[in-house]
Amino acid sequence: MQLRKLLVPGLISLALLSGCSLFNSEEDVVKMSPLPQVENQFTPTTAWKTSVGNGIGEFYSNLHPAWQDGNVYAADRRGTVKAVNASDGKEIWKVDLSEKTGFLSSNRPALLSGGVTVSGGHVYVGSEKAQVYALDTSDGSVAWQTKVAGEALSRPVVSDGLVLIHTSNGMLQALNESDGSLKWTANLDMSALTLRGESAPATAYGAAVVGGDNGRVSAVLMQQGQLIWQQRISQATGATEIDRLSDVDTTPVIVNGIVYALAYNGNLTALDLRSGQIMWKRELGSVNDFIVDNNRIYMVDQSDRILALTTDGGVTQWTQSDLLHRNLTAPALYNGYLVVGDSEGYMHWVDINDGHFVAQQKVDSSGFLTEPVVASDKLLIQAKDGTLYAITR
């Protein structure tokens, strides 16, 4: 049960005053699985590593590196954004988005949280302070900065001349890609009890499809901000507050006119893109983004099982259950293998054909929260302490 993303203002004091608990009993407290013994079939190599500020510490943040045209872009929570050469990790430029107060040691942190996204000539990153920044890829200078409706926890998505931002208070906003001006706002609603995190939208055929904290998936016309359809894939039920969480925090995946969406305490669901009608669903939940590739769905569920399922009906093809409750990242598909990181700083390599382990490596002592990113022949992953690694097979 991945409680690291839980955000309910006042929840602790409310529980103490009322005498109720998030958990039914001591049996609900889960233990991390021991590290499985793996006989490496190959040894992954760290091509280079570099520090990107102070990282995210123990805060939840969706910051992860982005790659374009041979350069890698990464950020830390305080406000450092850095561009490095993808081949050797050498710094190209570095900027500090923290607020200057007149005293160098007392700058207010920018609290970057959503991103990083690179598209065209800009690097985009959002913050817990409801700011979205567009930086020039050539030198890191701020091209524009816009205040949005709430915390920008998910990564910005750029499509059709718009920068789409899903804020923590349930708003989907479209900003003009060239100057950051607000084009429209769609209110997707939210629940009183939610997880810390928001779904980034997926785009196709002029529509943006995004998950919401209310258990619904919504499709919005990108040019007008008009709601096309909404479909519920998770219902708030259960005896405890945790059981009733119904967030859809994962990014939907659109393939051949089908929307695949995944809720925390709900279902893995296939929807018709045009109508939003449910085509099939499986009772599986997660907060991690998933992969759809070659008629398969690869995912990490809320208990940290790794699964491969068919896109036709969601039939399970294999399950890897030896990493339960190790707080896995979302998976990456790299060189024919699934790769995940865990909270102890290990990376695990899994054969996509049957789910058995092919390699394991200890990379960083601070651990990982966000998924690896494929950058040509390298695999990028950013640790909680801000160290950015480039891994090769």
Side-chain angles (χ1 to χ4, degrees), residues 15 34 38 75 78-79 85 121 133 150 157 168 190 222 225 277 307 316 351 365 375 383 388 390:
V38 176
R78 183 170 181 82
N85 189 296
Y133 303 87
V157 172
S168 61
M190 64 178 294
M222 275 195 292
Q277 292 300 305
L307 299 98
T316 301
D351 191 305
S365 59
L388 175 63

Side-chain angles (χ1 to χ4, degrees), residues 1-2 4 29-36 285 288 299-307 319-329 340-344 348 357:
M1 187 177 293
Q2 294 179 320
R4 66 178 183 266
V29 179
V30 296
K31 293 183 179 180
M32 180 183 292
S33 292
L35 191 70
N288 284 316
M299 61 170 284
V300 174
D301 75 4
Q302 60 201 55
S303 296
D304 290 322
R305 294 184 303 162
I306 307 172
L307 299 98
T319 303
Q320 174 53 260
S321 301
D322 288 345
L323 299 172
L324 295 181
H325 313 301
R326 293 188 65 85
N327 291 330
L328 301 183
T329 69
V340 297
D342 72 21
S343 59
E344 291 192 330
H348 308 273
F357 294 112

